Amino acid sequence: MSNTRIAFIGAGNMAASLIGGLRAKGLEPAQIRASDPGADTRARVSAEHGIETFADNAEAIRGVDVIVLAVKPQAMKAVCESLRPHLQPHQLVVSIAAGITCASMNAWLGAQPIVRCMPNTPALVRQGVSGLYATAQVSAEQRDQAQELLSAVGIALWLEQEQQLDAVTAVSGSGPAYFFLLIESMTAAGVKLGLPKDVAEQLAEQTALGAAHMAVSSDVDAAELRRRVTSPGGTTQAAIESFQAGGFEALVEKALGAAAHRSAELAEQLGK
Ligand SMILES: NC(=O)c1ccc[n+]([C@@H]2O[C@H](COP(=O)([O-])OP(=O)(O)OC[C@H]3O[C@@H](n4cnc5c(N)ncnc54)[C@H](OP(=O)(O)O)[C@@H]3O)[C@@H](O)[C@H]2O)c1
């Protein structure tokens, strides 16, 4: 990315975290620009990252290699249609907008190379994970550019089929909330068992972090890690059996199925 020039359309939370990640990776401020209708938003990202900002989206994309669409899904149609007359054929469009398909974007933008991504909120602390899908027009060099862009805030994984982004949404896009729910429930249960709330909360949070670190750094899968910490007849086994008797695995499958279904439904509505 040493010579790549990038424009962000929309300079909100996600754009700011990507810009911060790119700067931390060594991109120069002159390689990055952003546009946003909010004067305060423009002033904030400009002050924080030293980049040039614009009120006019068309001006922001002039001469860049990569255009990152970081506006809310509801704003995508209008943004794409207004950019269309100003696009150069070689410019890669990277969309992080949830639920907007490549077909919708191609209808609004023209035959532009597109990478569609599904990041998640831990990108804000550079611990995100994103699923990426590229259209046939995207070159190998442009795939590398998209990969490096999303890798600035976590890890980036390529998908073979665009439809798999609904599953990515269900697993990792919405996933942080599932872990927050578990932390919340474990904290409440700890309080019921006699712990002060702040102690129960720290125990639950740090346990989630520690378990995630172990799962990521280990060369065995989560099922094996669980078996290794579950002694027969011990305390962990008592808890796991209780989870399983309550239908935990089936409940998780149902919940993720509902998220994937909703993702496909929203794509249908927003793509019109
Ligand atoms: N946050 C996440 O964890 C997450 C995860 C996955 C995907 N995403 C996707 O990332 C995208 C951005 O999310 P976000 O959380 O960063 O939202 P955000 O903080 O609301 O940022 C969007 C920015 O775009 C600006 N904007 C609105 N209309 C515009 C236009 N016509 N041209 C240029 N900029 C415009 C908004 O300005 P105003 O506020 O003045 O309207 C706002 O500053 C969304 O599509 C979302 O689906 C986010």
Side-chain angles (χ1 to χ4, degrees):
M1 299 267 266
S2 55
N3 295 314
T4 309
R5 286 156 305 165
I6 306 173
F8 286 83
I9 307 300
N13 292 320
M14 266 296 177
S17 61
L18 283 163
I19 294 167
L22 291 171
R23 292 281 295 115
K25 275 182 114 181
L27 261 77
E28 295 297 329
Q31 291 178 261
I32 308 170
R33 26 173 64 197
S35 63
D36 197 283
D40 290 351
T41 307
R42 292 198 300 276
R44 192 169 51 243
V45 357
S46 172
E48 197 169 332
H49 302 292
I51 64 165
E52 198 176 356
T53 57
F54 301 83
D56 179 7
N57 293 340
E59 216 179 313
I61 69 165
R62 200 171 298 145
V64 303
D65 307 292
V66 180
I67 299 164
V68 184
L69 302 178
V71 297
K72 292 282 187 211
Q74 294 77 359
M76 282 286 285
K77 185 176 186 192
V79 164
C80 289
E81 287 176 343
S82 70
L83 287 177
R84 186 175 187 148
H86 308 282
L87 288 165
Q88 300 296 313
H90 71 275
Q91 290 178 311
L92 171 68
V93 174
V94 176
S95 163
I96 61 166
I100 304 290
T101 64
C102 295
S104 296
M105 283 185 273
N106 276 136
W108 302 332
L109 288 165
Q112 214 65 27
I114 292 175
V115 171
R116 184 180 157 199
C117 313
M118 184 63 210
N120 66 358
T121 28
L124 304 177
V125 291
R126 295 187 202 152
Q127 292 292 335
V129 60
S130 308
L132 275 64
Y133 173 79
T135 58
Q137 289 87 348
V138 176
S139 69
E141 190 195 350
Q142 289 175 323
R143 278 176 81 101
D144 290 347
Q145 288 170 334
Q147 168 93 31
E148 279 198 55
L149 170 73
L150 273 302
S151 299
V153 290
I155 65 169
L157 307 169
W158 286 99
L159 303 165
E160 298 271 307
Q161 295 160 30
E162 184 175 4
Q163 226 183 8
Q164 292 171 318
L165 283 167
D166 292 328
V168 171
T169 304
V171 176
S172 56
S174 302
Y178 316 154
F179 287 96
F180 297 147
L181 178 65
L182 189 60
I183 290 172
E184 203 182 315
S185 308
M186 285 171 65
T187 301
V191 170
K192 282 207 168 152
L193 289 168
L195 293 169
K197 178 152 189 273
D198 63 322
V199 172
E201 204 163 57
Q202 287 183 69
L203 290 171
E205 287 169 0
Q206 186 61 28
T207 302
L209 186 64
H213 271 305
M214 281 180 74
V216 166
S217 61
S218 167
D219 49 11
V220 298
D221 64 12
E224 176 56 23
L225 285 174
R226 174 168 62 78
R227 277 191 287 275
R228 287 182 189 176
V229 295
T230 311
S231 331
T235 57
T236 310
Q237 188 181 18
I240 298 285
E241 280 177 357
S242 188
F243 274 131
Q244 288 173 336
F248 186 76
E249 283 99 340
L251 188 61
V252 171
E253 190 181 321
K254 190 172 162 198
L256 270 66
H261 178 73
R262 185 69 187 132
S263 170
E265 235 173 35
L266 286 172
E268 176 73 30
Q269 284 167 21
L270 292 165
K272 286 179 183 149

